[in-house]
Amino acid sequence: MKIKRSDLDWAVTQNILNPQQADALWTGLCTRTEPDAKFSVTHVLYYLGALIIIGAMSWFITDAWDRLHSSILLIVSGGYLLGFLLVGNLMWFKSQHRIPAGLFITISICLTPLFIYSLQRALHLWPHQDPGDYHSFFSWVNGGWFAMELVTLISGLIALRLYKFPFMSAPVALVLWFMSMDLTPILFQGEGSIYEQRKWMSLVFGLIMIAGSYMIDRNTKEDVAFWGYLFGCIAFWGGLTLLDGDSELSRFAHFAINVGLIALSLFLDRKVFLVFGVFGVVIYLYHLSSHLFEDSLTFSIALSAQGLLLVYLGILYSKHHEKIERRLTPYVQKWRPRKTMP
């Protein structure tokens, strides 16, 4: 719970505190805690500039770069990477420049795939097969990208360990998601449908990413787990939803898992699970309305009644939530991430 000066002023009007006590308490709180960083125009400029740089050297890279000689591409990408890393490291120790410093180091992480690609192209060394032009890295699944992803993952984890800047977890989580797809043709060469295998690999990798993010969430004060949760949900939910399930039992199991994601969002206090869970529930309800109950007049009425019941349960919970949470807290609090703890 965040306390504002207006809360103390209200306490004075209610005769809970006198004005002198309110002033003394506010002064003490201000000296004890650092002020919250507010998202301002400065932050927008920082992040927008960083994203433009990242995009320029990754997503929006043109064919002209691939026509460069491999040694020139290696020197240019290595110079960019090293330059952003050194400048970011120098700025990191100046508290007023901590955000741009962290963004510069994040940019260097995002440049790692291009640098490793240039090195591999110069040495003609690929873990699976030559994946082609670099700009295809973000659009085509290929086992040849695996070494680039592995080195990027390692460099990102090292940077997170050294600098603890939450946004650095974004390229780490993204490259893990890419890795889940590009690893499939390496592990299952010529064994069955590659499309089916990728769905299962995506599901398994998503679960691993969510579990890893949970462990990070429990052991860090900084919010570095957000991107892991996001891309973990994308990988897990995408693989789960694309799995072929022709039986009603498998579709109901998919629905139940999505209800579990909604419950998980409450436990972890993470809205990303709520978003994917709700999408899954809506997909199942659409299936019921368009297939099983397409000729039923009562389905919409029954569904509306269930919606009203949920709203009523929400009203009841709002009245008694303190008592319920007080009884549940001793059992679940020790498993919750730090940011959800009082």
Side-chain angles (χ1 to χ4, degrees):
M1 181 178 67
K2 294 183 178 180
I3 298 176
K4 300 177 181 178
R5 175 66 208 218
S6 58
D7 296 321
L8 299 185
D9 293 336
W10 171 84
V12 172
T13 62
Q14 301 298 312
N15 295 321
I16 300 173
L17 297 172
N18 61 47
Q20 292 76 22
Q21 289 173 327
D23 291 338
L25 180 57
W26 181 250
T27 302
L29 289 173
C30 288
T31 56
R32 182 176 181 271
T33 61
E34 297 180 0
D36 292 336
K38 295 182 179 179
F39 200 70
S40 63
V41 174
T42 305
H43 291 83
V44 172
L45 294 174
Y46 284 158
Y47 280 89
L48 181 60
L51 288 173
I52 289 174
I53 296 170
I54 291 170
M57 301 304 295
S58 54
W59 311 311
F60 308 128
I61 203 165
T62 63
D63 293 334
W65 285 84
D66 287 305
R67 290 195 292 270
L68 288 175
H69 191 274
S70 55
S71 59
I72 297 176
L73 188 59
L74 182 64
I75 293 170
V76 173
S77 60
Y80 262 86
L81 189 156
L82 188 61
F84 279 112
L85 180 61
L86 290 176
V87 173
N89 183 69
L90 288 173
M91 294 174 62
W92 181 257
F93 300 100
K94 300 177 181 178
S95 58
Q96 69 272 27
H97 294 145
R98 195 56 78 83
I99 293 176
L103 290 172
F104 282 162
I105 298 169
T106 304
I107 291 170
S108 70
I109 298 170
C110 295
L111 284 166
T112 304
L114 180 60
F115 176 74
I116 299 300
Y117 170 83
S118 307
L119 183 62
Q120 288 181 280
R121 202 172 86 172
L123 299 175
H124 302 287
L125 185 63
W126 304 100
H128 181 63
Q129 62 186 24
D130 188 336
D133 296 339
Y134 178 75
H135 68 269
S136 301
F137 174 53
F138 299 93
S139 53
W140 293 104
V141 175
N142 194 305
W145 309 122
F146 180 72
M148 297 156 52
E149 293 160 347
L150 181 61
V151 177
T152 304
L153 173 64
I154 294 171
S155 64
L157 291 175
I158 292 173
L160 267 172
R161 178 74 176 176
L162 293 175
Y163 299 102
K164 293 182 174 61
F165 186 69
F167 190 59
M168 289 178 191
S169 62
V172 172
L174 178 63
V175 82
L176 266 174
W177 182 33
F178 281 9
M179 189 182 290
S180 70
M181 295 178 284
D182 294 330
L183 190 58
T184 307
I186 297 177
L187 294 179
F188 305 99
Q189 299 184 41
E191 299 180 15
S193 169
I194 193 70
Y195 182 63
E196 277 300 308
Q197 292 162 353
R198 280 177 184 150
K199 287 187 286 188
W200 279 106
M201 183 67 79
S202 179
L203 188 151
V204 172
F205 248 74
L207 278 176
I208 293 172
M209 288 175 68
I210 291 171
S213 300
Y214 169 70
M215 296 305 297
I216 293 171
D217 211 6
R218 276 183 54 81
N219 294 286
T220 57
K221 293 181 179 179
E222 299 85 2
D223 189 9
V224 298
F226 168 78
W227 295 100
Y229 282 138
L230 175 61
F231 287 109
C233 276
I234 292 174
F236 170 74
W237 190 88
L240 179 71
T241 304
L242 292 174
L243 282 173
D244 295 328
D246 295 329
S247 68
E248 288 305 318
L249 182 60
S250 64
R251 291 192 176 98
F252 179 78
H254 181 270
F255 163 75
I257 291 172
N258 280 281
V259 172
L261 288 178
I262 295 173
L264 189 61
S265 74
L266 297 174
F267 175 72
L268 296 176
D269 192 22
R270 294 284 182 174
K271 295 182 179 64
V272 62
F273 294 99
L274 177 65
V275 172
F276 283 95
V278 167
F279 272 128
V281 169
V282 170
I283 289 172
Y284 182 70
L285 293 177
Y286 175 77
H287 164 72
L288 292 180
S289 64
S290 60
H291 292 85
L292 293 186
F293 298 100
E294 57 182 335
D295 296 322
S296 174
L297 293 173
T298 58
F299 178 72
S300 296
I301 298 172
L303 203 58
S304 300
Q306 291 178 26
L308 286 172
L309 177 61
L310 289 175
V311 173
Y312 177 67
L313 289 175
I315 294 172
L316 287 179
Y317 181 81
S318 68
K319 291 181 178 179
H320 305 287
H321 72 280
E322 291 183 358
K323 184 187 298 183
I324 296 171
E325 291 176 4
R326 191 162 53 247
R327 290 185 177 180
L328 290 177
T329 294
Y331 302 102
V332 301
Q333 194 63 55
K334 64 179 180 179
W335 300 107
R336 304 185 78 185
R338 287 189 180 185
K339 73 184 219 48
T340 63
M341 295 182 181

